[in-house]
Amino acid sequence: MKIARSTYCGECHEDFKNGQVVWYASIENHSFCSNCKPNLDIKDREPRKVPGGDEK
């Protein structure tokens, strides 16, 4: 899984947690949390992982 470069949600601006899976929308060039994903009318999105957490 690719790494998220953003540290916060592009919609609600909540900070991402280490290891969290977020959704990147290339057309917006931003990442979004799972809570905001259903509110977005964006078809082209892919999961990304926030650095940290269980990575070695």
Side-chain angles (χ1 to χ4, degrees):
M1 184 179 302
K2 292 183 179 179
I3 300 295
R5 294 180 185 232
S6 181
T7 59
Y8 63 92
C9 177
E11 182 72 10
C12 70
H13 304 286
E14 182 177 322
D15 289 335
F16 295 143
K17 295 175 178 64
N18 291 344
Q20 180 178 356
V21 175
V22 298
W23 298 91
Y24 175 73
S26 60
I27 196 164
E28 295 282 334
N29 194 29
H30 219 298
S31 295
F32 301 92
C33 68
S34 293
N35 291 334
C36 291
K37 180 186 159 201
N39 301 333
L40 302 171
D41 188 27
I42 300 171
K43 305 288 185 245
D44 182 26
R45 56 187 177 219
E46 62 182 54
R48 300 270 174 111
K49 189 169 184 179
V50 177
D54 62 354
E55 287 147 8
K56 306 273 185 218

